[in-house]
Amino acid sequence: MSVTNLQDESLQPYLGTLQRIVSEMGPQRPFQSTLKSLLKTLAENHDFQRPHLVIFDPETRTLKLSLAHTPTKAAHVEYEPGVGVTGQVFSSGQPVIVPRMKDHPAFLNRAFGRTEEELMSLAFICVPVLGPGEDDEGREVIGTLSVDTPTSDMSKLLGQSKFLAVVAGMIANQAAYLQEEMARQKHLMSQGLIAGDNVETGFIPPNIVAASKSMRLVLNQAAQVGPSRATALLRGESGTGKELLAEAIHQASPRREQPLIKLNCAALPSELVESELFGYQKGAFTGAVQDKKGLFELANKGTLFLDEVGELSPTAQAKVLRAIQEQEIQRLGSEKTITVDVRLICATHQPLEELVEKGHFREDLYYRINVFPVFIPPLRERREDILPLAEHFLSLYAEEYTRDIKRISTPAIDLLTQYHWPGNIRELKNCIERAVLVCDEHVIRTYHLPPSLQTAESTATDSNLSFCEAVAKFEQELLVDALKKARGNMLQAARDLRVSYRIVNYKVKKYGLDAKKFAVAKGRPR
């Protein structure tokens, strides 16, 4: 479709949509949420109804409705290649336009939730989605992209079809990933590792904040192992959120209504860990004045989370191994066996492989708990998560301490993202809590952050800036913060900074700032 033809059909909305697609298809974006956002954009910006993406399943040789943006759910819909409009588009690799669905035989008995009125007033456009490749000739069709749209003259429908063909070409990689994900999920289901209905790519539990690609991969692994009874071993540095991930796995399992019992094996002396895990009989030792159930019994039918499992004593390791293998335990001081049905999740920051080599950790237990390992990367390796986490903790503590703090300043954000966070999320959480407590403004600024973040490297004080240059840089940062807060209103920014409008106007021109870019539509969240 030429630019001339597009001008008659409002070029700007099409270009705006294409620009948005490009901006959302970065390498750090999860592909499924990107595609969902795309379908939503098509529906909202172009009056397209029921935009949906159908992907070919090579194993079943059918086309499956994979993603849709519809008022009513139409899950588990399948199409045969060559059958119906969608099947014809897939087989031929050519787009199809149905000017009015009521007049096409394919829609007589298969309305898929459309009303009689909609069949009379809507057209249907379906275009092929080609797999990744250098040129169209060598690329195979892997699915289709289709929409309902109000009936119109053929020239407008043809223009919309050309536009959808461009969109389909832009999402080739994401669609290929979706096809691979379908195959992978089916393989895991066939191995009994997951239950299909409970797994969703892009799974984000409500108690976890994640924006980075690496962390979303971790959450996807949690979604895979959650529905099974397989033992999960969570690996990662201290403070990375292993306990929260264990909670997420439990919530993704069929045992979610049953208890999740937790024990930090490093928090108790080794002689007490056994009595905590397995319980004891009255009189088993001095002070055992009554029977006590152990955590394995309390977690029966549910999940037991053993944090710092590498700290278990050799005796406790042997008993845990037996509990896993035989699904039975013995209380201390008792010869009676008790059958338990417990799903085990373990966590450690230690290199268990080295402990096994040194004889400090049982090799057979290591292989029993290492069924499904999940590695949680440290915060310094997923810097995309720092700002969302900081804003989450800011909201949490501002409410807890009743502080009217709206946001984090740009220079403070720079400090947070440059710091290496040896204590990971736990350190970031403590940092924001301290900043909220000491902040007496509506904005968290650099001087509210702990001294550990105020290093020469992170604050750029080891640079070759002169005194005047450093002052100018600080002045520019204050001005940018004020314009952000005032949403581009220079008069309001002048009031907030307690200077005249003339000075703000002069400084904006001096630093080459565009106040309009800070403007936000009314009612839109900052």
Side-chain angles (χ1 to χ4, degrees):
M1 180 169 52
S2 68
V3 174
T4 304
N5 292 335
L6 265 175
Q7 286 175 346
D8 296 333
E9 306 192 35
S10 302
L11 177 62
Q12 195 56 43
Y14 289 102
L15 291 179
T17 298
L18 296 178
Q19 289 170 350
R20 181 169 175 179
I21 293 171
V22 171
S23 67
E24 291 186 350
M25 289 199 307
Q28 299 298 325
R29 303 295 182 107
F31 67 87
Q32 190 160 4
S33 62
T34 297
L35 291 173
K36 287 180 179 178
S37 177
L38 163 72
L39 297 181
K40 183 179 179 181
T41 300
L42 292 177
E44 293 177 348
N45 290 8
H46 302 283
D47 200 21
F48 290 147
Q49 300 179 32
R50 298 183 179 84
H52 60 269
L53 185 65
V54 170
I55 298 296
F56 179 65
D57 182 355
E59 185 173 333
T60 62
R61 310 296 298 176
T62 60
L63 293 154
K64 294 189 175 181
L65 176 60
S66 299
L67 290 174
H69 183 74
T70 61
T72 56
K73 292 186 178 181
H76 310 300
V77 176
E78 294 188 4
Y79 306 84
E80 294 291 333
V83 179
V85 177
T86 300
Q88 290 172 14
V89 171
F90 175 78
S91 297
S92 67
Q94 298 298 319
V96 169
I97 300 173
V98 179
R100 190 171 68 163
M101 284 186 277
K102 183 67 174 178
D103 300 332
H104 197 284
F107 296 95
L108 292 179
N109 300 317
R110 304 181 70 187
F112 294 124
R114 300 178 181 92
T115 65
E116 188 71 19
E117 182 181 353
E118 287 178 322
L119 293 175
M120 288 289 293
S121 62
L122 295 176
F124 181 76
I125 302 175
C126 185
V127 300
V129 177
L130 304 179
E134 295 297 327
D135 53 71
D136 289 351
E137 286 194 22
R139 298 165 64 184
E140 62 175 341
V141 182
I142 62 174
T144 65
L145 174 65
S146 58
V147 300
D148 295 0
T149 185
T151 56
S152 183
D153 58 88
M154 183 54 73
S155 62
K156 180 175 181 179
L157 295 176
L158 183 60
Q160 291 175 328
S161 175
K162 296 285 188 181
F163 166 68
L164 288 174
V166 173
V167 172
M170 295 175 70
I171 63 171
N173 286 325
Q174 280 74 13
Y177 295 152
L178 186 57
Q179 187 181 51
E180 292 173 5
E181 180 67 13
M182 288 168 54
R184 189 173 65 86
Q185 296 287 354
K186 184 167 292 186
H187 172 70
L188 291 172
M189 289 169 59
S190 68
Q191 299 296 315
L193 293 176
I194 63 171
D197 293 340
N198 292 332
V199 176
E200 179 184 333
T201 305
F203 162 78
I204 300 183
N207 62 337
I208 292 180
V209 177
S212 65
K213 184 177 180 180
S214 59
M215 196 59 198
R216 285 178 179 268
L217 176 61
V218 168
L219 296 178
N220 193 38
Q221 291 175 322
Q224 293 165 9
V225 73
S228 72
R229 63 166 294 121
T231 302
L233 178 59
L234 311 184
R235 311 286 295 267
E237 295 180 6
S238 180
T240 51
K242 296 187 288 293
E243 184 173 337
L244 287 180
L245 190 64
E247 293 175 1
I249 293 173
H250 175 70
Q251 288 301 317
S253 76
R255 300 169 182 256
R256 66 180 67 89
E257 302 299 329
Q258 302 301 321
L260 169 64
I261 305 297
K262 306 173 186 178
L263 175 67
N264 187 329
C265 302
L268 294 174
S270 58
E271 59 271 15
L272 294 183
V273 169
E274 289 182 53
S275 62
E276 281 294 312
L277 285 174
F278 308 106
Y280 51 80
Q281 290 291 106
K282 179 181 178 180
F285 51 83
T286 303
V289 295
Q290 61 182 10
D291 294 348
K292 180 185 175 181
K293 289 184 177 181
L295 298 185
F296 268 97
E297 287 183 75
L298 295 175
N300 191 38
K301 303 297 182 183
T303 303
L304 177 60
F305 173 56
L306 297 183
D307 198 4
E308 299 301 344
V309 69
E311 299 290 340
L312 285 175
S313 67
T315 305
Q317 290 178 33
K319 292 185 177 181
V320 169
L321 177 63
R322 184 190 177 201
I324 297 174
Q325 291 183 155
E326 308 297 334
Q327 295 187 10
E328 60 181 29
I329 62 166
Q330 282 183 315
R331 292 180 183 174
L332 298 182
S334 172
E335 296 181 357
K336 179 183 176 182
T337 59
I338 301 172
T339 301
V340 291
D341 174 15
V342 174
R343 196 270 181 86
L344 198 63
I345 300 176
C346 300
T348 183
H349 74 280
Q350 300 188 61
L352 291 184
E353 295 78 8
E354 294 181 12
L355 295 181
V356 170
E357 288 182 7
K358 295 176 181 178
H360 298 159
F361 197 85
R362 294 180 63 108
E363 185 177 12
D364 46 4
L365 178 59
Y366 168 74
Y367 289 116
R368 277 291 182 179
I369 65 175
N370 196 37
V371 176
F372 197 103
V374 179
F375 292 85
I376 307 177
L379 189 56
R380 62 182 173 275
E381 293 180 8
R382 46 186 176 104
R383 296 190 178 274
E384 304 95 321
D385 291 332
I386 293 175
L387 182 55
L389 283 166
E391 291 177 336
H392 169 72
F393 294 138
L394 173 61
S395 174
L396 183 72
Y397 288 119
E399 180 179 355
E400 180 177 342
Y401 297 121
T402 61
R403 299 295 179 92
D404 186 21
I405 304 175
K406 303 297 185 184
R407 60 188 179 85
I408 305 172
S409 71
T410 301
I413 289 173
D414 291 340
L415 283 187
L416 292 172
T417 54
Q418 290 169 16
Y419 186 59
H420 60 290
W421 298 111
N424 293 294
I425 298 174
R426 185 180 293 118
E427 184 181 7
L428 174 60
K429 184 178 180 181
N430 294 341
C431 168
I432 299 300
E433 183 177 11
R434 176 192 184 277
V436 169
L437 287 171
V438 302
C439 180
D440 54 0
E441 306 176 45
H442 296 298
V443 180
I444 298 289
R445 303 197 183 276
T446 54
Y447 45 81
H448 296 133
L449 299 178
S452 58
L453 272 69
Q454 312 287 350
T455 62
E457 180 181 359
S458 64
T459 57
T461 55
D462 61 344
S463 66
N464 294 321
L465 291 178
S466 67
F467 175 76
C468 292
E469 289 171 333
V471 170
K473 182 179 179 182
F474 181 66
E475 186 178 60
Q476 184 176 347
E477 289 173 351
L478 287 178
L479 188 56
V480 168
D481 274 348
L483 288 171
K484 283 182 178 179
K485 180 182 178 183
R487 303 186 182 187
N489 186 324
M490 291 198 293
L491 187 60
Q492 182 60 47
R495 293 194 193 102
D496 292 340
L497 292 172
R498 285 178 270 186
V499 296
S500 69
Y501 172 82
R502 183 182 60 81
I503 291 178
V504 168
N505 187 44
Y506 167 73
K507 297 294 184 181
V508 164
K509 291 178 180 178
K510 175 183 176 181
Y511 297 119
L513 301 176
D514 181 7
K516 293 180 180 178
K517 80 175 185 178
F518 300 106
V520 182
K522 187 176 182 180
R524 184 176 169 188
R526 284 181 285 178

